[in-house]
């Protein structure tokens, strides 16, 4: 049921998905939302995504959706990419993925949502020891998609790290 709910939100932002149907996904798969930050693809578990919103160029204050505040996490800044130089709002602007972890919630500021995809459990591997990027602590593993490794975010670790950094 949660997959169908997320699917309906995604079709609003990705009309090309409207030809798809929402179907049950077997338990040996993780359904992920594939998105892009600074031209690089990342993924997050779809079950953690509560809603998608267009960024309207706010002041960095939390986004409030259905009475729930979501602190904004600018993934470009967190991942060490240069500041956004494109349009702030509108159809070519950025997208907010409203996500919820076990006890925290946040709005991940991304460039574009690419698609909703099923990730077979065998396609997700642990991070190699040589993977020393600073965001390693926020990643659950690497998903193999189209012969490319796509980092899969651990929403709980990312939100906890962001809140720790804000309150330090």
């Amino acid at each position: 049921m949660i997959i169908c709910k997320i699917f309906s939100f995604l079709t609003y932002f990705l009309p090309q998905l409207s030809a798809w149907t929402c179907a049950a996904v077997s338990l040996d798969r993780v359904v992920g939302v594939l998105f892009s930050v600074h031209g690089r693809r990342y993924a997050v578990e779809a079950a953690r995504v509560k809603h998608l919103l267009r960024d309207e160029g706010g002041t960095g204050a939390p986004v409030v959706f259905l009475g729930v505040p979501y602190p904004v996490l600018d993934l470009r800044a967190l991942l060490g990419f240069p500041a956004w130089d494109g349009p702030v709002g509108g159809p070519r602007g950025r997208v907010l993925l409203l996500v919820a972890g076990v006890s925290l919630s946040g709005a991940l500021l991304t460039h574009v949502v690419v698609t909703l995809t099923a990730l077979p459990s065998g396609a997700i591997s642990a991070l190699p020891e040589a993977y020393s990027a600073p965001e390693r602590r926020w990643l659950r593993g690497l998903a193999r998609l189209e012969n490319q490794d796509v980092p899969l975010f651990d929403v709980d670790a990312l939100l906890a790290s962001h809140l720790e950094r804000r309150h330090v």
Side-chain angles (χ1 to χ4, degrees):
M1 181 63 171
I2 188 80
I3 301 306
C4 293
K5 193 174 187 182
I6 292 167
F7 180 80
S8 68
F9 292 134
L10 284 174
T11 56
Y12 176 77
F13 290 97
L14 300 167
Q16 67 268 29
L17 295 180
S18 62
W20 295 10
T21 57
C22 183
V25 177
S26 67
L27 295 177
D28 64 342
R29 295 178 179 259
V30 172
V31 177
V33 175
L34 196 62
F35 60 93
S36 173
V37 177
H38 195 68
R40 294 190 184 161
R41 294 192 313 171
Y42 295 88
V44 66
E45 283 182 72
R48 299 301 185 110
V49 178
K50 302 306 173 197
H51 198 70
L52 300 173
L53 296 173
R54 290 252 178 237
D55 176 35
E56 296 303 326
T59 61
V63 173
V64 178
F65 180 73
L66 297 176
V68 177
Y70 291 84
V72 177
L73 288 81
D74 185 345
L75 291 179
R76 288 178 79 92
L78 290 174
L79 297 169
F81 295 124
W84 173 254
D85 60 357
V88 175
R92 300 235 186 266
R94 299 176 292 179
V95 178
L96 292 164
L97 287 170
L98 304 185
V99 297
V102 173
S103 61
L104 301 170
S105 60
L108 306 180
L109 185 56
T110 70
H111 178 230
V112 64
V113 173
V114 177
T115 192
L116 181 67
T117 186
L119 307 169
S121 58
I124 300 172
S125 62
L127 293 172
E129 291 297 323
Y131 194 88
S132 61
E135 67 270 16
R136 179 184 180 91
R137 63 181 177 220
W138 308 322
L139 299 176
R140 179 176 155 193
L142 296 175
R144 190 78 177 158
L145 293 172
E146 301 169 3
N147 296 321
Q148 182 182 16
D149 288 328
V150 176
L152 179 62
F153 276 100
D154 179 332
V155 170
D156 292 309
L158 178 62
L159 294 175
S161 174
H162 173 71
L163 292 177
E164 287 172 11
R165 288 169 55 151
R166 271 181 94 172
H167 297 294
V168 170

